[in-house]
Amino acid sequence: MTPDIDRHVGARVRERRIMLGLTQQQLAGLIRVTYQQAHKYEKGINRISAGRLLTIARALGVEPGYFYEGLGEGERPEPMPQQRLLLELARGVAALPRREQKALCELARALAEAEEALSTRSSA
């Protein structure tokens, strides 16, 4: 059971890192460990100590309990296709220069607003 918890916590670290557009190298720098150690944490190969988990939580802008959410709810569900798409999008955007990241955000916002306006008109 313990390795399952380590894998779950590591997967939650990875998900949050990707959500923020950080690489493993960047996370490793923030928490002052090697890239290899950050990788082992994310894979659940190495257990994350309580102190280190607090450091990771602060670096990723969440409470430590975030990493335990969903634990004990049976098997870890597979990401839905939309979640996979969003993670892939986050990886791609994170690889772009800051100017292009901002442009993509503005484009996405404009598209969402246009879609919302269309759906509001069709439901009226």
Side-chain angles (χ1 to χ4, degrees), residues 31-75:
I31 62 172
R32 300 176 193 257
V33 298
T34 64
Y35 159 82
Q36 293 86 350
Q37 184 61 47
H39 175 77
K40 289 177 182 181
Y41 285 154
E42 287 188 3
K43 291 293 183 185
I45 297 167
N46 286 5
R47 181 169 297 149
I48 304 172
S49 71
R52 180 71 66 198
L53 190 63
L54 181 59
T55 301
I56 293 170
R58 287 179 178 160
L60 298 178
V62 294
E63 294 295 319
Y66 169 87
F67 302 112
Y68 294 95
E69 289 175 6
L71 190 63
E73 296 177 2
E75 288 186 34

Side-chain angles (χ1 to χ4, degrees), residues 6-23:
D6 296 337
R7 280 193 295 273
H8 177 87
V9 169
R12 295 285 291 169
V13 169
R14 180 176 187 273
E15 289 169 7
R16 181 66 182 171
R17 174 183 61 77
I18 291 170
M19 263 190 255
L20 295 175
L22 297 172
T23 64

Side-chain angles (χ1 to χ4, degrees), residues 92-93 95-107:
V93 171
L96 295 173
R98 187 79 174 147
R99 193 171 114 212
E100 282 83 358
Q101 289 176 351
K102 287 182 178 183
L104 278 174
C105 285
E106 289 174 19
L107 175 62

